[in-house]
Short mmCIF file of all heavy atoms in Angstrom, two decimals:
data_model
loop_
_atom_site.label_atom_id
_atom_site.label_comp_id
_atom_site.label_asym_id
_atom_site.label_seq_id
_atom_site.Cartn_x
_atom_site.Cartn_y
_atom_site.Cartn_z
N VAL A 191 1.18 -0.64 9.34
CA VAL A 191 2.45 -0.88 8.73
C VAL A 191 2.53 0.00 7.48
O VAL A 191 1.64 0.43 6.86
CB VAL A 191 2.64 -2.38 8.37
CG1 VAL A 191 2.70 -3.29 9.56
CG2 VAL A 191 1.51 -2.84 7.44
N LEU A 192 3.87 0.24 7.13
CA LEU A 192 4.16 0.75 5.69
C LEU A 192 4.39 -0.42 4.83
O LEU A 192 5.11 -1.39 5.21
CB LEU A 192 5.38 1.65 5.80
CG LEU A 192 5.17 3.04 6.21
CD1 LEU A 192 6.51 3.81 6.32
CD2 LEU A 192 4.29 3.74 5.23
N VAL A 193 3.94 -0.41 3.74
CA VAL A 193 4.18 -1.57 2.68
C VAL A 193 4.77 -1.16 1.49
O VAL A 193 4.42 -0.11 0.86
CB VAL A 193 2.81 -2.19 2.45
CG1 VAL A 193 3.00 -3.39 1.55
CG2 VAL A 193 2.06 -2.59 3.63
N ARG A 194 5.88 -1.74 1.07
CA ARG A 194 6.57 -1.57 -0.17
C ARG A 194 5.87 -2.68 -1.25
O ARG A 194 5.98 -3.82 -0.97
CB ARG A 194 8.04 -1.90 -0.23
CG ARG A 194 8.82 -0.86 0.46
CD ARG A 194 10.39 -1.08 0.20
NE ARG A 194 10.76 -2.43 0.17
CZ ARG A 194 11.04 -3.22 1.37
NH1 ARG A 194 10.91 -2.61 2.52
NH2 ARG A 194 11.36 -4.44 1.35
N LEU A 195 5.21 -2.15 -2.19
CA LEU A 195 4.52 -3.14 -3.04
C LEU A 195 5.27 -3.46 -4.30
O LEU A 195 5.10 -4.46 -5.06
CB LEU A 195 3.11 -2.48 -3.49
CG LEU A 195 2.07 -2.33 -2.40
CD1 LEU A 195 0.81 -1.60 -2.96
CD2 LEU A 195 1.79 -3.66 -1.86
N HIS A 196 6.24 -2.65 -4.72
CA HIS A 196 6.92 -2.84 -5.97
C HIS A 196 8.43 -2.78 -5.89
O HIS A 196 9.19 -2.32 -6.79
CB HIS A 196 6.44 -1.80 -6.91
CG HIS A 196 5.03 -1.82 -7.18
ND1 HIS A 196 4.37 -2.85 -7.93
CD2 HIS A 196 4.02 -0.86 -6.93
CE1 HIS A 196 3.09 -2.60 -8.03
NE2 HIS A 196 2.87 -1.43 -7.42
N ARG A 197 8.96 -3.25 -4.79
CA ARG A 197 10.38 -3.30 -4.50
C ARG A 197 11.07 -1.97 -4.75
O ARG A 197 12.24 -1.80 -4.81
CB ARG A 197 11.16 -4.29 -5.47
CG ARG A 197 10.66 -5.70 -5.26
CD ARG A 197 11.43 -6.24 -4.10
NE ARG A 197 10.98 -7.64 -3.89
CZ ARG A 197 11.05 -8.28 -2.82
NH1 ARG A 197 11.47 -7.63 -1.59
NH2 ARG A 197 10.67 -9.55 -2.56
N GLN A 198 10.26 -0.84 -4.81
CA GLN A 198 10.85 0.45 -4.90
C GLN A 198 10.58 1.09 -3.48
O GLN A 198 9.48 1.38 -3.16
CB GLN A 198 10.15 1.31 -5.96
CG GLN A 198 10.37 0.68 -7.26
CD GLN A 198 9.39 1.43 -8.33
OE1 GLN A 198 8.59 2.34 -7.95
NE2 GLN A 198 9.55 1.06 -9.61
N PRO A 199 11.72 1.27 -2.71
CA PRO A 199 11.57 1.75 -1.39
C PRO A 199 10.91 3.30 -1.38
O PRO A 199 10.47 3.59 -0.36
CB PRO A 199 12.99 1.82 -0.83
CG PRO A 199 13.85 1.71 -2.03
CD PRO A 199 13.09 1.10 -3.21
N GLN A 200 10.96 3.98 -2.46
CA GLN A 200 10.30 5.36 -2.44
C GLN A 200 8.86 5.26 -2.46
O GLN A 200 8.20 6.22 -2.01
CB GLN A 200 10.84 6.15 -3.64
CG GLN A 200 12.28 6.15 -3.91
CD GLN A 200 12.80 4.98 -4.78
OE1 GLN A 200 12.22 3.93 -4.89
NE2 GLN A 200 13.95 5.18 -5.40
N VAL A 201 8.23 4.25 -2.95
CA VAL A 201 6.77 4.19 -3.00
C VAL A 201 6.35 3.18 -1.94
O VAL A 201 6.54 2.05 -2.05
CB VAL A 201 6.29 3.78 -4.41
CG1 VAL A 201 4.80 3.68 -4.54
CG2 VAL A 201 6.89 4.66 -5.43
N GLN A 202 5.53 3.70 -1.00
CA GLN A 202 4.97 2.85 0.03
C GLN A 202 3.49 3.19 0.25
O GLN A 202 3.07 4.35 -0.05
CB GLN A 202 5.74 3.14 1.31
CG GLN A 202 7.28 2.71 1.05
CD GLN A 202 7.93 3.00 2.38
OE1 GLN A 202 7.54 2.74 3.49
NE2 GLN A 202 9.26 3.43 2.27
#
Side-chain angles (χ1 to χ4, degrees):
V191 293
L192 276 174
V193 183
R194 281 188 330 274
L195 294 176
H196 301 291
R197 297 279 181 209
Q198 296 173 355
Q200 305 90 337
V201 180
Q202 299 178 40

